[in-house]
Amino acid sequence: MRTVPGIVLAVLAVTLTACSGGSDRTAETTGATAAPPSPAPSPTTSAQLDCTAGFLAQYTTRQKLAQLLTVGVTGTADAENVVRTEQIGGVFLGSWTDQAMLSEKQLGRVEAAARTPLMVTIDEEGGRVSRLSKLIGPAPSARVSAQTVSADDFYKESVARGRAMKELGITVDFAPDVDVSSQPDDSVIGDRSFSDDPQVVTQYADAFIRAMHDAGLGAVMKHFPGHGSGSGDSHTGAVRTPPLDQMQQVDLVPFRNLVGSGAGVMVGHLDVPGLTEAGVPASISPQAMALLRQGAGYGAAPYDGPIFTDDLSGMAAITSRMGIEDAVVAALEAGADNALWISSDAVSRVLDKLEQEVREGRLPAKQVDDSVLRMARFKGIPMHC
């Protein structure tokens, strides 16, 4: 997915000598066909264990936990500071971020502070969710694209935008939105959805994911298990979806079809009757994470890619229930691999809390290691052993 900078490879060479190069992408799906079941894993060899153990040995527990955090930054100095001091795994560039980081090629300073390749992430869907329109030009919303151009043409347009993003230094796009929705254009999902037809959503989302990968970026589909028929906006309060059995026929279809696409998955702050417990949205729900991981509960192949949370600090569906430290703990303990929030202020406090959870056994060290390895593979760090 992403070419690891040579300077970082040199740092990692000692710990990765047992690993061969390459990415860990699964085969892409095509069109609206469902992803085939994953083959049974081969027995783990001692060489594989040596390889992953060697990679993990370079980190302290705190540094492992830091690799599972992606935080919003205001600009280059903020990003460089939090990366240098805590070695977080990713930074998020929002509408509040100084675009000089990109336009003046300042990301090199930030990446130089990282011991491990850094994710540089953004929300770039097109339409009204676009952070880069002034730098790479505007793009239509997902709904307009699906109504006006073929999936093949959408793929070509998306490859060009992906290459422009990569040239700026972006490595991961938190897109596409694979929610299935017939809501008005200006509602919380609305025109961010390709269609109210899950097969059309699958077709165009597949084209976008392939385009990002072909441009050298990671893609993250959202908002599992489906926000398109939610009761409101999780930025402003709790959101209730239809019951899980109803979502099987509509909302979950694109996730089922694209689970083998190589994209990451972002889990939304959604209360799902028949799945999540009362007051525990999907983003911090062990049941929601297990549904995605195991697949059988919605007729999909098991998923072993990275699970991201939606923003944990700026959305009332979470913040009305708990503070950022508890939210990150709840998300990772539930089974997420990467906790996302929109400022760097609380990073050290969050890591203090996470270290305590590991020491006291509530966040198993094996679970942390598995998440670190998933994130490394998603970044394209050579991990074939």
Side-chain angles (χ1 to χ4, degrees), residues 139-155 157 185 191 193-195 200 203-204:
S141 69
R143 182 172 287 173
V144 168
S145 291
Q147 292 172 345
T148 59
V149 299
S150 69
D152 285 344
D153 286 342
F154 180 63
Y155 163 81
E157 294 170 2
D185 284 355
D191 63 358
S193 168
F194 290 105
S195 176
V200 172
Q203 184 180 23
Y204 280 80

Side-chain angles (χ1 to χ4, degrees), residues 38 41 103 105 118 132 135 146 160 169 201 244 254 283-284 303 331 334 338 358:
S38 298
S103 62
K105 305 292 185 182
L118 183 72
L132 298 174
L135 297 180
V201 172
L244 181 63
S283 54
I284 59 172
Y303 175 71
N338 196 280
V358 173

Side-chain angles (χ1 to χ4, degrees), residues 273-364:
L275 176 64
T276 60
E277 297 179 1
V280 182
S283 54
I284 59 172
S285 165
Q287 291 80 14
M289 303 297 176
L291 179 71
L292 177 56
R293 278 279 176 244
Q294 297 167 11
Y298 72 112
Y303 175 71
D304 194 38
I307 298 177
F308 294 81
T309 70
D310 206 343
D311 168 29
L312 294 169
S313 69
M315 303 177 74
I318 285 289
T319 59
S320 64
R321 291 162 163 155
M322 62 186 67
I324 186 60
E325 295 94 334
D326 290 336
V328 173
V329 165
L332 296 187
E333 290 183 358
D337 298 299
N338 196 280
L340 168 70
W341 75 98
I342 60 174
S343 71
S344 63
D345 298 346
V347 168
S348 294
R349 298 197 308 274
V350 165
L351 287 170
D352 290 343
K353 179 76 169 175
L354 288 170
E355 282 189 294
Q356 180 181 349
E357 296 298 297
V358 173
R359 283 194 303 270
E360 297 178 2
R362 289 184 291 271
L363 179 56

Side-chain angles (χ1 to χ4, degrees), residues 57 72 75 158 170 210 259 280 290 316 331 353 361:
S158 299
I170 304 299
R210 288 187 290 110
V259 73
V280 182
K353 179 76 169 175

Side-chain angles (χ1 to χ4, degrees), residues 208-254:
F208 187 90
I209 292 166
R210 288 187 290 110
M212 292 302 104
H213 290 172
D214 289 348
L217 274 69
V220 178
M221 52 184 176
K222 58 191 183 185
H223 307 82
F224 187 86
H227 202 317
S229 299
S231 62
D233 183 348
S234 52
H235 292 86
T236 58
V239 174
R240 186 180 178 90
T241 72
L244 181 63
D245 58 353
Q246 293 182 29
M247 298 181 76
Q248 297 275 3
Q249 309 308 316
V250 180
D251 303 84
L252 282 161
V253 171

Side-chain angles (χ1 to χ4, degrees), residues 15-375:
T15 57
L16 295 180
T17 50
C19 302
S20 64
S23 68
D24 195 43
R25 294 290 180 208
T26 55
E28 310 295 343
T29 58
T30 57
T33 57
S38 298
S42 57
T44 302
T45 66
S46 59
Q48 288 173 316
L49 290 174
D50 287 347
C51 174
T52 57
F55 177 76
L56 292 167
Q58 69 183 304
Y59 299 107
T60 65
T61 296
R62 189 179 184 89
Q63 289 169 343
K64 290 177 184 177
L65 293 164
Q67 285 297 301
L68 312 184
L69 308 180
T70 298
V71 301
V73 293
T74 58
T76 303
D78 183 24
E80 185 177 5
N81 178 63
V82 73
V83 171
R84 189 177 304 282
T85 57
E86 293 290 11
Q87 291 297 315
I88 58 170
V91 294
F92 175 69
L93 311 186
S95 58
W96 60 88
T97 306
D98 181 0
Q99 291 202 337
M101 287 185 70
L102 302 176
S103 62
E104 297 180 13
K105 305 292 185 182
Q106 297 174 0
L107 277 170
R109 286 169 46 192
V110 183
E111 292 172 331
R115 291 180 59 242
T116 303
L118 183 72
M119 284 192 306
V120 180
T121 70
I122 203 162
D123 273 326
E124 185 59 38
E125 300 174 18
R128 57 194 162 105
V129 182
S130 175
R131 318 300 180 199
L132 298 174
S133 58
K134 293 181 179 179
L135 297 180
I136 66 172
S141 69
R143 182 172 287 173
V144 168
S145 291
Q147 292 172 345
T148 59
V149 299
S150 69
D152 285 344
D153 286 342
F154 180 63
Y155 163 81
K156 293 172 186 174
E157 294 170 2
S158 299
V159 167
R161 289 185 69 79
R163 288 172 178 160
M165 283 190 274
K166 184 177 176 63
E167 179 65 24
L168 289 173
I170 304 299
T171 70
V172 174
D173 189 6
F174 288 134
D177 189 317
V178 303
D179 296 315
V180 181
S181 186
S182 60
Q183 294 176 345
D185 284 355
D186 61 354
S187 62
V188 61
I189 299 301
D191 63 358
R192 299 169 63 190
S193 168
F194 290 105
S195 176
D196 60 0
D197 181 338
Q199 301 304 335
V200 172
V201 172
T202 297
Q203 184 180 23
Y204 280 80
D206 173 68
F208 187 90
I209 292 166
R210 288 187 290 110
M212 292 302 104
H213 290 172
D214 289 348
L217 274 69
V220 178
M221 52 184 176
K222 58 191 183 185
H223 307 82
F224 187 86
H227 202 317
S229 299
S231 62
D233 183 348
S234 52
H235 292 86
T236 58
V239 174
R240 186 180 178 90
T241 72
L244 181 63
D245 58 353
Q246 293 182 29
M247 298 181 76
Q248 297 275 3
Q249 309 308 316
V250 180
D251 303 84
L252 282 161
V253 171
F255 291 102
R256 182 185 304 134
N257 290 343
L258 296 169
V259 73
S261 67
V265 177
M266 179 178 286
V267 179
H269 306 315
L270 305 168
D271 296 325
V272 185
L275 176 64
T276 60
E277 297 179 1
V280 182
S283 54
I284 59 172
S285 165
Q287 291 80 14
M289 303 297 176
L291 179 71
L292 177 56
R293 278 279 176 244
Q294 297 167 11
Y298 72 112
Y303 175 71
D304 194 38
I307 298 177
F308 294 81
T309 70
D310 206 343
D311 168 29
L312 294 169
S313 69
M315 303 177 74
I318 285 289
T319 59
S320 64
R321 291 162 163 155
M322 62 186 67
I324 186 60
E325 295 94 334
D326 290 336
V328 173
V329 165
L332 296 187
E333 290 183 358
D337 298 299
N338 196 280
L340 168 70
W341 75 98
I342 60 174
S343 71
S344 63
D345 298 346
V347 168
S348 294
R349 298 197 308 274
V350 165
L351 287 170
D352 290 343
K353 179 76 169 175
L354 288 170
E355 282 189 294
Q356 180 181 349
E357 296 298 297
V358 173
R359 283 194 303 270
E360 297 178 2
R362 289 184 291 271
L363 179 56
K366 173 65 163 60
Q367 183 175 328
V368 173
D369 286 350
D370 289 344
S371 291
V372 171
L373 293 173
R374 286 191 191 101
M375 295 313 304

